[in-house]
Amino acid sequence: MAAASCLLSEDQFLCSICLEVFTDPVALPCGHNFCNKCITDHWDINVRCQCPMCKRLYTTRPELQVNTFISEVAAQFRQSVQQEASCSSSEHQAAKPGEVPCDVCTGTKLKALKSCLVCLASYCETHLEPHLTIAGLKRHQLIDPVEDLEGRVCTKHDKLLELFCKSDQMCICMLCTVSDHKTHDVVPLTEEYEGKKDELKETEAEIQQMILKRRLKLQEIKRSVELSKKDADREIVEGVQVFTALKASVERSQAEFIKTIKEKQRATEIQAEGFIKELEEEISELMRRRTEVEQLSLSEDHLHLIQSFSSLNTAPTTKDWTQVSVHSPLYDGTVVRAVIQLEETLSKQMKKMFEAELRRVRKYAVNVMLDPDIVHPRPTQSSTKQQVNEGDKCRCVLSKQGFTSGRFYFEVQVSRWSSWTLGVARKSNMKREVTLSPSNGFWTVCMKWRFFKRLGGYFASGNPSVCLSLKSQPERVGVFVDYEDGVVSFYDINNAALFYSFTGCSFTDKLYPFFSPCHNDGDKIHTNINLCVLQ
């Protein structure tokens, strides 16, 4: 019958309503066949009950019975078409490297669609058909194609691994439960599978959260790089503007200096040209007079010589040149005055630049609070600041807050103290007497009144200390720290000037704002006592 059905055309097995191969075909009294559902739905929609093909009208809806013969022929035709399509498509599904091949195919191994855990074999679309149609094979467990199916079988009992031993954390077969794993906690593989899936979901959620955090950090770093580039570009533009202005100032000062020198030289030349002209005129007049005298002396006319003698013998009107001289102009001080003027111009430019820099570093200002645990005696409190009376014999203090990264800035009013030490320090050396220096964890600037005449009063502590030359006494000092770049800078706030920077520092510990308002002897201070005014 199947062979005969293959000789029929496909059109003979199509429902004229849905245009698909018959499903539960029924025959009307007029002999035309339709899918049971198609003709039923058609009559439910239309008021009149008639055949869609020949338009025969029925007064009552005919009782429909499935045409078993056409149904079987249509099913065989459908299966034949599917097999032909399967065979046709399988020709293009040969297993590629990395894909699981069919274990049944001979010759060219086609790509497996499923693997059977009971048969321990993988099947292509054609050879998988029995597992989809035969009742006994339908009960087999099919999974997506995998290699090494032997690894799913217990090597000791040659049985399928379908249990999980929680005690030994391994997959086992049924026979293992009565031997090596008799008293162990054993659960079905499906149960452990669900548990592991739940754990994997949690792990996936954790990983997803980690990915999210890292993506946010990635975006943060990218934004930081973009901001850094913008800051660098802006700094270059501002720096070029500053240096251009400074260069223009230097060029103007140089031009004015050269102009001054040339004007002095020109004045000298003009004076000399006037003297030269007068001298040349006198020389010409004297040479003419000399010629007349020579000619008269050769004359043999007695009367003429005597009569002309008086006029020629009289000395011509000339200037007394004995006190006349041309001196080179004095240029002493010209360069100095030009440099002083340039310095004043540069100072104005520098002040503008430092004011801009102060505005930038003040963005990193922090509120510094004293640490009451190490202040001795305990400082008095107020609503606006923490302070230690100058009469208290305190030596130094650290802030309560420390910093291990980034940038921070704070200011201290130092005008009330005759001697002070200000900066940042590590906490590790705060319980013993040490020498202030970066090597001991102190990056500070000091003002010592008793050294004022000898050392200028101000110095950066170190080994050796660096004497600082300040034009005026700071009233308020700002301290800026860039932890990563290893920079500690000190600013004279009132005069908008940077007067010292520690650079190239390598910070590894927490840094604390540090201040000492007291009169200390020498460079050593007792660092277990504390502070001042910070706000």
Side-chain angles (χ1 to χ4, degrees), residues 27 95 116 174 193 198 220 274 301 304 311 314 323 343 348 379 388 402 416 499:
C116 177
M174 291 296 295
Y193 167 80
D198 293 338
E220 177 187 337
D301 186 344
H304 174 70
S311 60
T314 304
Q323 302 299 323
E343 184 180 7
K348 293 179 181 178
V388 173
R416 62 174 297 190
F499 61 88

Side-chain angles (χ1 to χ4, degrees), residues 232-248 353:
D233 293 340
R234 183 181 64 251
E235 194 71 19
I236 289 174
V237 171
E238 293 177 356
V240 169
Q241 291 176 349
V242 170
F243 280 105
T244 301
L246 293 177
K247 182 180 178 181
M353 183 175 64

Side-chain angles (χ1 to χ4, degrees), residues 87-187:
C87 293
S88 176
S89 61
S90 296
E91 294 177 358
H92 305 284
Q93 295 182 359
K96 300 177 182 178
E99 295 179 340
V100 178
C102 176
D103 293 325
V104 182
C105 287
T106 58
T108 301
K109 294 285 187 178
L110 302 183
K111 176 184 176 182
L113 295 183
K114 294 290 182 179
S115 294
C116 177
L117 294 179
V118 179
C119 302
L120 296 180
S122 299
Y123 303 102
C124 63
E125 184 176 0
T126 301
H127 295 120
L128 183 63
E129 185 67 22
H131 280 77
L132 302 177
T133 57
I134 299 176
L137 296 178
K138 283 184 177 180
R139 293 192 294 270
H140 289 191
Q141 185 177 356
L142 299 176
I143 61 173
D144 290 334
V146 294
E147 294 181 329
D148 189 25
L149 286 169
E150 291 79 7
R152 298 174 177 269
V153 176
C154 177
T155 56
K156 185 174 182 179
H157 302 107
D158 199 24
K159 295 292 183 180
L160 187 65
L161 298 173
E162 51 187 345
L163 300 173
F164 183 79
C165 176
K166 290 191 173 183
S167 302
D168 293 336
Q169 289 294 301
M170 61 182 297
C171 297
I172 60 176
C173 69
M174 291 296 295
L175 295 180
C176 290
T177 60
V178 295
S179 57
D180 299 337
H181 302 268
K182 186 175 182 180
T183 59
H184 293 182
D185 184 9
V186 177
V187 296

Side-chain angles (χ1 to χ4, degrees), residues 9-48:
S9 66
E10 183 177 357
D11 293 339
Q12 294 174 291
F13 298 94
L14 298 182
C15 171
S16 59
I17 297 177
C18 66
L19 302 179
E20 297 289 343
V21 177
F22 286 121
T23 302
D24 298 330
V26 293
L28 300 185
C30 60
H32 293 114
N33 297 286
F34 304 91
C35 295
N36 188 4
K37 186 175 185 306
C38 292
I39 190 63
T40 302
D41 293 342
H42 179 74
W43 284 345
D44 289 341
I45 295 173
N46 295 279
V47 177
R48 299 199 305 173

Side-chain angles (χ1 to χ4, degrees), residues 358 362 366 368 409-413 422 476-479 493 533-535:
L358 273 176
R362 274 179 165 169
V366 295
V368 178
Y409 172 85
F410 62 95
E411 294 180 1
V412 178
Q413 189 74 29
L422 173 65
R476 191 175 186 86
V477 176
V479 182
I493 303 302
V533 180
L534 293 175
Q535 59 183 19

